[in-house]
Amino acid sequence: MLGVDAKRQKLDMKRLPIPQRRIAVAILLPRRVLASYVFLTQEMLLLAGTMKARSRDVAGSRLFDIDFLSPDGEPVESFGASPIRATGRLGTTSRHEVVIVPGQFAPEPAGEEEDPAFGAFLRERFAAGATVVGLNGAVLLAKAGLLDGRSATGLSGEKALFAQHFPAVRYTPAKRLVVDER
């Protein structure tokens, strides 16, 4: 039977090394963003590092540097009226290798005033090779033109919106997951 210190030492030896360079992730903050998508995604990415390292040290075992980006760097009010503090502003950095577009409540098919900034950022990051992930954020991706000629999924309630405003997108809300390039 191993003592507590010996068990701890054995666990330490089994820990996997953490990469020296963290992957830069941007989580976008559009109007009426669903806060649960933002914070659950952040926590799942943090959890990935602690699980890989088999450690409870969240800060020390991070695999990702996560930024919350708004158009102006100011907090964004979520659908539930809770402010989400941005950690950066769109266009101030081009280091993000992964861009996550969280869901919004009742996204507008016509352009919101900040849509051009989101669209430019998404197109620039995609052209630079970033992986772009929509978590029920297909409307913003469609507005950016990234879904034209591609397959996408999302909420069933947005099917008519896609048919009317984004006919170049193959929108199939019955699918749980769609992967089309990056």
Side-chain angles (χ1 to χ4, degrees):
M1 180 179 241
L2 294 175
V4 173
D5 288 333
K7 284 182 184 179
R8 206 172 274 145
Q9 194 173 33
K10 188 175 179 181
L11 282 174
D12 287 343
M13 292 183 344
K14 288 184 179 180
R15 289 192 178 127
L16 301 173
I18 298 298
Q20 296 300 322
R21 189 183 66 77
R22 294 183 182 121
I23 296 169
V25 176
I27 299 177
L28 303 186
L29 299 177
R31 289 183 193 210
R32 296 179 312 281
V33 66
L34 297 169
S36 58
Y37 282 79
V38 173
F39 295 118
L40 180 60
T41 301
Q42 177 193 36
E43 288 181 342
M44 295 303 291
L45 292 173
L46 291 172
L47 181 62
T50 60
M51 290 181 69
K52 179 174 175 59
R54 297 183 184 163
S55 169
R56 291 183 183 192
D57 179 8
V58 175
S61 59
R62 285 188 331 210
L63 296 175
F64 305 98
D65 283 331
I66 304 166
D67 291 315
F68 293 167
L69 301 182
S70 70
D72 55 8
E74 294 297 316
V76 171
E77 191 171 284
S78 72
F79 162 68
S82 298
I84 301 174
R85 187 177 61 87
T87 59
R89 180 171 67 84
L90 293 176
T92 57
T93 180
S94 60
R95 67 185 191 92
H96 298 101
E97 300 166 70
V98 177
V99 178
I100 298 174
V101 182
Q104 296 173 267
F105 178 76
E108 296 290 328
E112 302 261 13
E113 90 182 37
E114 69 271 359
D115 285 349
F118 282 118
F121 180 80
L122 286 163
R123 288 187 300 275
E124 183 270 327
R125 294 311 317 136
F126 187 77
T131 299
V132 178
V133 179
L135 301 174
N136 283 331
V139 174
L140 191 56
L141 292 170
K143 288 180 189 180
L146 291 181
L147 296 181
D148 290 351
R150 298 183 186 279
S151 296
T153 189
L155 302 172
S156 296
E158 294 174 351
K159 189 173 183 176
L161 181 141
F162 271 85
Q164 182 177 0
H165 297 281
F166 307 109
V169 178
R170 293 185 304 272
Y171 192 72
T172 53
K175 288 188 176 182
R176 292 184 182 177
L177 175 67
V178 172
V179 177
D180 193 332
E181 204 177 317
R182 288 177 279 115

